[in-house]
C-alpha cells in the first residue's frame, strides 16, 4: 500500500504532496514544507558522509509503521514515496510515477520549472495509477 507522495525540487522546496489514505494525520502546509526542507538537508548530508564515492544519499528509510523511498532524478528533483512497511520493491512504481510526472508536468509549457505542480491531468493520472496498487 502506498500512503503518500512528496515531490521536492532541487532547492529543497516542496512542489507536490498527496496522501492516498485517510488514515494519516493531517499536517499543516507549513509542516509539509518543513518536512521537505529537512529531508532535502538530511539527504544532502548523507550523500557526503557515505564511505562510498558518488553516493546518492538516502534511498530508503525503514521504520516500524512505514517505509520511505527516495528517488532522485538527474536534475535533482526528489520523489519521496511513503509505503506500508511490508511493501517490497517500489522501483517499478517510482518509474511509473516519474513517467506520469514527465508526461503531465515536464512537457507542460505552462508549468513553471521548480514551482508547485498545479495539474489536474497529473493528479488524475497519478490517482488512477495508485488505485491500481492500493485498490479504490
Amino acid at each position: 500500500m502506498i500512503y503518500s507522495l512528496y515531490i521536492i525540487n532541487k532547492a529543497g522546496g516542496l512542489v507536490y504532496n498527496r496522501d492516498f489514505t485517510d488514515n494519516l494525520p493531517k499536517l499543516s502546509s507549513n509542516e509539509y514544507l518543513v518536512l521537505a526542507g529537512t529531508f532535502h538537508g538530511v539527504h544532502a548530508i548523507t550523500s557526503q558522509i557515505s564511505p562510498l564515492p558518488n553516493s546518492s544519499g538516502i534511498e530508503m528509510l525503514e521504520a516500524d509503521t512505514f517505509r520511505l523511498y527516495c528517488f532522485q532524478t538527474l536534475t535533482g528533483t526528489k520523489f519521496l514515496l511513503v509505503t506500508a512497511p511490508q511493501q517490497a520493491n517500489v522501483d517499478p512504481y517510482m518509474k511509473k510515477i516519474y513517467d506520469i510526472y514527465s508526461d503531465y508536468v515536464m512537457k507542460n509549457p505552462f508549468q513553471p520549472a521548480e514551482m508547485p505542480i498545479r495539474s489536474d491531468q497529473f493528479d488524475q493520472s497519478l490517482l488512477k495509477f495508485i488505485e491500481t496498487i492500493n485498490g479504490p
Side-chain angles (χ1 to χ4, degrees):
M1 169 162 266
I2 295 178
Y3 295 146
S4 53
L5 171 70
Y6 304 95
I7 301 176
I8 302 172
N9 67 18
K10 64 182 173 186
L14 183 67
V15 294
Y16 185 84
N17 67 289
R18 177 92 187 244
D19 294 333
F20 302 106
T21 179
D22 295 330
N23 299 338
L24 298 175
K26 298 300 175 202
L27 301 177
S28 70
S29 297
N30 192 45
E31 290 170 324
Y32 281 118
L33 295 172
V34 169
L35 173 70
T38 302
F39 185 84
H40 177 74
V42 170
H43 188 270
I45 290 169
T46 57
S47 67
Q48 292 176 3
I49 64 171
S50 172
L52 301 174
N54 302 320
S55 172
S56 63
I58 295 174
E59 292 181 3
M60 197 247 314
L61 181 94
E62 187 172 2
D64 291 341
T65 56
F66 69 92
R67 284 187 182 172
L68 184 144
Y69 294 90
C70 178
F71 168 66
Q72 181 171 300
T73 68
L74 294 175
T75 62
T77 301
K78 293 175 195 65
F79 290 77
L80 304 181
L81 200 59
V82 181
T83 71
Q86 62 272 17
Q87 188 70 47
N89 182 14
V90 298
D91 289 342
Y93 302 151
M94 288 291 213
K95 182 184 180 330
K96 179 64 176 173
I97 291 169
Y98 184 68
D99 288 345
I100 294 168
Y101 171 80
S102 296
D103 287 342
Y104 295 108
V105 178
M106 297 304 295
K107 294 177 184 176
N108 181 350
F110 301 107
Q111 172 65 45
E114 306 296 316
M115 297 303 289
I117 298 168
R118 308 266 187 257
S119 169
D120 289 337
Q121 289 177 317
F122 175 70
D123 277 333
Q124 291 169 2
S125 184
L126 180 64
L127 187 57
K128 185 178 177 182
F129 171 65
I130 297 298
E131 284 177 350
T132 64
I133 300 163
N134 291 354

